Amino acid sequence: MKLTGAQIVIECLKEQSVDTVFGYPGGAVLNIYDEIYKNMDSIKHILTSHEQGASHAADGYARSTGKVGVVIATSGPGATNLVTGIATAYMDSVPMVAITGNVPVSLLGRDSFQEVDITGVTMPITKHNYIVKDVNDLADIIREAFYTAKEGRPGPVLIDIPKDVTANQAEYEPVVPKKVSRCSKNITTESIEEAIELIKNSKKPYIYAGGGVIISEAAKELKDFAEKVQAPVTCSLMGIGGFPTNDDLYTGMIGMHGSKASNLGVTACDLLIVVGARFSDRVIGKPDKFANKARVLQIDVDPAEVNKNILTYHSVIGDIKKVLQQLNDRLEEQNHTEWLSEIKYLKEKYPLKYPTDCVSAQYAIEKLDEITEGEAIITTEVGQHQMWAGQYYKFKEPRKFLTSGGLGTMGYGFGACLGAKVGNPDKIVVNIAGDGSFRMNFNELLTAVRHNIKIIVLVINNGVLGMVRQWQTLFYDERYSFTTLNQDLDYVKLAESMGAVGFNITSKDQVEDVFKKAIEETKPVIINCVIDKDDKVFPMVAPGKPIEDVIVE
């Protein structure tokens, strides 16, 4: 049957079982939006306040559900407003399809009104991108884009569609989507056997887990593996939730703001088993001192990550779930009682701690964990509050902690919170923000109110750009260059002016009551939690220092 390009877009989204898209209309995508209007019974559209918010919402939807997030924007500035969100998804391996409009094919390359070469702009931050100049190619490109976004190491894909292509007609026949299979072609018997020998010969094994565990749905396999190896487990920021943070084997985050027990343990281990992690500079500190007593066994789906930042002794390339299943099937249970006792001692000697004589972010987050029983989905912006969330909320399952790890995008959390709540309507979803990040995206509160998306935003308000100020205090002789906000903002009135509900927290005895009221509310909620401007995130490793050189206060 003959359909217009715009109709083909919608039919292909239905083929891929897309139930929600996030976006913002404009001239170049009017034909697509006209078809969205006609198909509102099968595809929900969430109109955000800004295209960047839409891209982060698609990202949060994808991370929290495991599905592909979809975002639509018009040409020119609409498309370029997606760039930060696409880059965020790319750095954290999030499956997303971004659909942008463009000027008609005949006007491409002529500096036409609202024309941007968005495929050129996004080439470094997408797995692949396309510009569709012939409507006859449109359906196959959309199908290929969804497959590419999901297969192997996931990531964002962009499809740029000139306006006349959405108006032209082509033959369309429905196609069952190609199934994405787990990457296993590089998993050899030899590589598995060598990994097992390394584990058997180790007396002090340590597991360092990253976001790949969550992406490959391998949380159960990782837990079984850790118990079989009898090894302690540390996670990168992106790996949080891939292993239960309330488990006895878990030692906390690793790296710049990792626990002292994790950093000292990894430094002392003789085998570091790296599962779905990429050795970020924020994890390894001084590279030649990182785990320098250990052989490194790396398990990853992406061969490009092996020997990129840290040289490995052995690697197994393939889907994390598949690799761990094979290891678990063949590996005998190990006994490392003495090593685990040593790590337990470090955990007891160097616990996380914070001042208890006043309201603090750490206390608020611990109380939020207690009240929600660790079952909420937590999104964050970027800064001190992000680290405190990773340290003090107890994530027992994957896809509950959504944060911008690779790009470090201030402004990510509010959009991600919206997307996560849309994808998980029965879950409590909380965005933990700093007051600096809140300034970047609070326009999306209008989106939450417009669509009645019942989220909670906990603003950790210290009146400064907290993490940058912390660095200025420690490394720049307290020269606070443009990090003091001093904004006289009434968060309660701001929330109410937009149709939401606001609360203030200025003392510890208010925390529990406010959280309970916020959870019971039927409208979006903003909580302004006031803390001291000089509260700091500890532990901390100074940049360029070995990770065992931990500042604890």
Side-chain angles (χ1 to χ4, degrees):
M1 56 181 167
K2 274 197 174 290
L3 296 179
T4 66
Q7 291 171 324
I8 289 171
V9 170
I10 299 304
E11 292 306 313
C12 286
L13 292 181
K14 291 178 182 177
E15 279 181 12
Q16 300 293 331
S17 301
V18 173
D19 54 23
T20 305
V21 298
F22 304 87
Y24 204 98
V29 287
L30 275 177
N31 293 330
I32 296 174
Y33 267 82
D34 194 44
E35 293 305 319
I36 291 174
Y37 182 87
K38 297 172 187 174
N39 287 272
M40 287 190 295
D41 57 334
S42 53
I43 297 178
K44 180 192 299 182
H45 180 275
I46 303 296
L47 174 65
T48 56
S49 298
H50 191 282
E51 291 92 349
Q52 184 174 333
S55 65
H56 293 324
D59 176 308
Y61 178 92
R63 293 195 207 210
S64 63
T65 64
K67 302 176 185 178
V68 177
V70 180
V71 61
I72 301 177
T74 193
S75 63
T80 58
N81 281 345
L82 296 180
V83 169
T84 299
I86 293 170
T88 301
Y90 181 76
M91 291 288 282
D92 291 346
S93 303
V94 178
M96 178 195 295
V97 170
I99 298 172
T100 55
N102 214 327
V103 300
V105 173
S106 62
L107 295 180
L108 290 172
R110 297 174 180 268
D111 294 332
S112 304
F113 176 68
Q114 289 193 335
E115 181 196 358
V116 161
D117 176 14
I118 195 62
T119 55
V121 169
T122 60
M123 187 174 293
I125 55 168
T126 50
K127 278 189 76 177
H128 197 66
N129 62 28
Y130 308 84
I131 180 165
V132 187
K133 295 183 179 179
D134 185 342
V135 69
N136 293 291
D137 299 330
L138 181 58
D140 286 343
I141 284 175
I142 293 173
R143 292 161 185 153
E144 187 176 303
F146 273 85
Y147 181 84
T148 301
K150 290 183 287 187
E151 66 90 27
R153 181 177 182 172
V157 178
L158 181 134
I159 310 169
D160 194 37
I161 313 175
K163 187 172 183 179
D164 54 336
V165 173
T166 65
N168 296 338
Q169 290 190 329
E171 286 292 332
Y172 166 80
E173 291 296 332
V175 171
V176 175
K178 181 180 175 183
K179 187 176 180 181
V180 178
S181 58
R182 295 184 177 274
C183 294
S184 58
K185 62 182 179 181
N186 293 320
I187 307 174
T188 65
T189 301
E190 292 77 16
S191 66
I192 293 292
E193 289 299 333
E194 186 169 345
I196 288 173
E197 284 304 307
L198 282 172
I199 294 167
K200 284 181 177 179
N201 292 328
S202 168
K203 291 182 171 57
K204 296 182 176 183
Y206 218 115
I207 297 170
Y208 155 35
V213 173
I214 296 169
I215 292 167
S216 64
E217 307 285 356
K220 180 184 182 301
E221 287 76 10
L222 177 63
K223 191 170 189 308
D224 292 345
F225 179 67
E227 290 171 352
K228 188 164 263 194
V229 177
Q230 280 291 284
V233 180
T234 182
C235 289
S236 68
L237 188 72
M238 293 305 303
I240 289 177
F243 190 85
T245 59
N246 61 344
D247 192 280
D248 287 342
L249 290 175
Y250 184 68
T251 61
M253 276 198 301
I254 183 175
M256 179 173 281
H257 293 294
S259 71
K260 190 164 184 176
S262 291
N263 286 2
L264 293 179
V266 166
T267 302
C269 75
D270 65 6
L271 177 66
L272 184 63
I273 307 169
V274 185
V275 187
R278 60 186 181 84
F279 296 106
S280 161
D281 56 296
R282 288 296 176 99
V283 165
I284 65 175
K286 190 174 175 60
D288 61 350
K289 295 291 186 181
F290 179 76
N292 59 354
K293 298 182 182 69
R295 290 176 171 180
V296 175
L297 165 61
Q298 186 171 2
I299 302 168
D300 206 286
V301 74
D302 186 357
E305 290 299 338
V306 177
N307 296 321
K308 185 173 82 173
N309 296 325
I310 294 291
L311 292 177
T312 62
Y313 185 85
H314 178 59
S315 61
V316 183
I317 304 301
D319 178 78
I320 302 296
K321 191 181 186 80
K322 286 274 191 184
V323 174
L324 290 179
Q325 284 173 342
Q326 292 197 32
L327 289 173
N328 288 339
D329 287 344
R330 302 185 197 186
L331 183 67
E332 297 173 1
E333 191 162 325
Q334 306 296 295
N335 187 336
H336 297 115
T337 304
E338 192 174 319
W339 172 234
L340 290 180
S341 296
E342 188 178 329
I343 296 301
K344 182 181 179 183
Y345 169 76
L346 291 176
K347 286 174 65 176
E348 291 171 350
K349 185 177 181 181
Y350 302 113
L352 294 175
K353 56 184 179 180
Y354 58 87
T356 57
D357 57 348
C358 59
V359 66
S360 66
Q362 299 96 315
Y363 175 79
I365 292 167
E366 281 191 329
K367 187 58 69 173
L368 179 64
D369 172 64
E370 177 187 315
I371 290 170
T372 60
E373 298 180 343
E375 293 297 323
I377 295 174
I378 304 295
T379 70
T380 78
E381 308 296 342
V382 169
Q384 290 178 315
H385 62 276
Q386 177 189 31
M387 297 299 113
W388 285 322
Q391 290 173 335
Y392 287 94
Y393 197 92
K394 300 293 186 290
F395 295 95
K396 300 188 286 290
E397 298 173 354
R399 302 197 182 279
K400 295 286 185 70
F401 183 55
L402 316 182
T403 194
S404 173
L407 197 64
T409 306
M410 291 177 70
Y412 166 79
F414 208 137
C417 191
L418 295 172
K421 183 65 176 179
V422 170
N424 303 268
D426 297 329
K427 293 286 186 183
I428 297 170
V429 184
V430 181
N431 179 37
I432 299 177
D435 49 328
S437 293
F438 184 77
R439 288 155 52 115
M440 293 190 171
N441 59 20
F442 69 82
N443 55 340
E444 296 304 340
L445 182 57
L446 293 168
T447 306
V449 172
R450 179 190 300 119
H451 294 283
N452 194 28
I453 303 171
K454 201 238 162 252
I455 58 169
I456 298 170
V457 180
L458 171 61
V459 182
I460 305 299
N461 181 4
N462 55 8
V464 297
L465 300 179
M467 186 61 87
V468 188
R469 180 184 174 90
Q470 178 166 329
W471 280 52
Q472 289 172 333
T473 302
L474 297 175
F475 311 121
Y476 290 86
D477 295 326
E478 301 183 4
R479 293 186 295 275
Y480 299 120
S481 179
F482 299 100
T483 50
T484 302
L485 302 176
N486 282 343
Q487 58 186 27
D488 186 18
L489 174 63
D490 188 325
Y491 284 82
V492 173
K493 287 183 178 177
L494 176 70
E496 291 173 347
S497 73
M498 293 188 180
V501 175
F503 296 101
N504 286 317
I505 293 175
T506 56
S507 64
K508 284 180 71 174
D509 58 3
Q510 296 173 312
V511 172
E512 184 170 352
D513 183 53
V514 166
F515 283 165
K516 287 180 177 178
K517 286 179 178 177
I519 290 168
E520 292 168 0
E521 269 295 337
T522 57
K523 295 180 179 180
V525 173
I526 303 295
I527 301 172
N528 173 41
C529 181
V530 180
I531 68 168
D532 188 270
K533 66 180 181 297
D534 285 312
D535 283 359
K536 293 179 176 60
V537 178
F538 290 118
M540 182 179 183
V541 177
K545 295 290 186 180
I547 62 168
E548 68 263 33
D549 289 359
V550 184
I551 305 167
V552 293
E553 59 185 354

